[in-house]
Amino acid sequence: MDVLKFSSVPLHFTAKLKKSRFLKQCLQVNLLPSLPSSSISRHSRRFKLRASVSSTISTEEFEFASPFEVEAENERREDERFDWYAQWYPIMPICDLDKRVPHGKTVMGIDVVVWWDKNESAWKVFEDLCPHRLAPLSEGRIDQWGRLQCVYHGWCFNGSGDCKFIPQAPPDGPPVHTSKRACVAVYPSIVQNDILWFWPNSDPQYKDILVKKKPPYIPELDDPSYTKLISNRDLPYGYEVLTENLMDPAHVPYAHYGIMGRQQPNNR
């Protein structure tokens, strides 16, 4: 609510009615633009409400704000909109990851390669693209020095995304592998609750995002007194299809015939 107008004098305010007197007072607001005089605009996200307030309400019941404060409040609310790419996301439980090979995964529409960096003893999450010819790094291998090696031309990368070796570059030539254009985009990642998480933004400003924000933590998963079983399954459809399926009990005796132990209804 940006602007409220009394029938006589326009005022800008944020309404805060005292609960003790609210039941004795009357506030009528016409929201529908049924009259030509309505001040609601269909073509703007900001609109005005024309209100008629009974004489029993005193202006002392309201906390007044300037138009600039109202505008600032609207901008603050817009800034608080949920950002899907400013959150931590689980990739895989580490029990399903093989340290000997790279793994290609897609999360939030982002293709990533997950691999074990034995030099840092940590899982790494890179963009699944070699900067040379854009070959998927998930199709490559881990070389004998523990580097991620591209399957196309053999370029090798360390855990920081830096290119450490280009087989085609002459050993006595310029160190072309040190070029920033030869680096791979690295996503922040962490293992928590035996699950590998990543932050879906490789911008360097998020390198230390863990200091400000961490993935959601479930203490019971790390408590040895609890029994847990973690598994992973890739489903080739969206969450909305899965939700509809889980909420549809009528399919169980047919789609899961002989598994659920339920009798079939008698045919009539």
Side-chain angles (χ1 to χ4, degrees):
M1 182 185 303
D2 291 335
V3 180
L4 290 180
K5 288 187 177 181
F6 290 101
S7 57
S8 58
V9 181
L11 296 173
H12 297 274
F13 59 90
T14 56
K16 291 186 179 179
L17 294 176
K18 294 182 179 178
K19 294 183 179 179
S20 60
R21 300 183 57 186
F22 181 75
L23 296 178
K24 299 180 181 180
Q25 298 169 344
C26 175
L27 176 63
Q28 299 176 343
V29 181
N30 298 323
L31 295 177
L32 298 178
S34 57
L35 298 176
S37 61
S38 172
S39 57
I40 297 180
S41 173
R42 297 175 180 266
H43 304 289
S44 174
R45 292 190 302 170
R46 295 187 175 88
F47 56 88
K48 299 179 180 179
L49 301 179
R50 184 176 299 279
S52 59
V53 184
S54 67
S55 59
T56 59
I57 297 182
S58 171
T59 56
E60 296 179 355
E61 301 296 328
F62 298 97
E63 177 183 337
F64 293 90
S66 70
F68 301 101
E69 293 174 334
V70 174
E71 183 72 17
E73 175 68 14
N74 291 335
E75 294 179 356
R76 183 186 65 81
R77 291 179 180 178
E78 291 180 0
D79 292 339
E80 291 180 353
R81 289 180 298 180
F82 187 82
D83 186 351
W84 290 92
Y85 292 93
Q87 315 295 328
W88 286 97
Y89 290 94
I91 298 180
M92 286 281 289
I94 58 175
C95 61
D96 289 338
L97 294 173
D98 188 344
K99 293 181 178 181
R100 299 170 296 178
V101 295
H103 305 268
K105 300 296 176 183
T106 301
V107 183
M108 294 293 294
I110 302 175
D111 294 325
V112 299
V113 56
V114 177
W115 65 286
W116 175 256
D117 180 10
K118 69 177 185 180
N119 296 307
E120 297 186 20
S121 297
W123 288 103
K124 300 294 182 178
V125 181
F126 286 4
E127 183 180 18
D128 197 11
L129 284 177
C130 179
H132 179 212
R133 300 289 292 174
L134 305 184
L137 292 171
S138 57
E139 298 293 331
R141 62 185 66 87
I142 309 298
D143 71 3
Q144 58 182 322
W145 291 280
R147 302 172 302 193
L148 179 61
Q149 186 178 61
C150 179
V151 68
Y152 200 2
H153 289 94
W155 287 30
C156 297
F157 306 91
N158 66 6
S160 299
D162 301 324
C163 183
K164 305 304 293 184
F165 178 62
I166 298 178
Q168 297 78 23
D172 56 348
V176 292
H177 66 277
T178 61
S179 172
K180 292 183 178 180
R181 297 176 60 184
C183 297
V184 180
V186 180
Y187 294 101
S189 60
I190 185 177
V191 173
Q192 181 172 280
N193 289 142
D194 291 331
I195 299 172
L196 178 63
W197 300 73
F198 93 117
W199 184 269
N201 195 323
S202 60
D203 192 295
Q205 66 174 311
Y206 297 107
K207 181 180 179 180
D208 299 320
I209 188 62
L210 271 170
V211 178
K212 300 179 180 179
K213 187 174 183 179
K214 295 182 178 180
Y217 179 68
I218 303 176
E220 289 79 6
L221 290 178
D222 290 339
D223 190 336
S225 65
Y226 284 81
T227 299
K228 67 179 179 180
L229 175 63
I230 298 180
S231 62
N232 175 73
R233 182 179 180 185
D234 291 328
L235 301 175
Y237 47 79
Y239 73 91
E240 69 281 359
V241 177
L242 177 61
T243 302
E244 186 275 336
N245 175 265
L246 296 175
M247 297 180 66
D248 177 20
H251 82 280
V252 173
Y254 304 99
H256 305 282
Y257 182 83
I259 299 177
M260 305 301 292
R262 298 182 62 180
Q263 295 182 354
Q264 301 294 320
N266 295 328
N267 295 327
R268 295 181 180 180

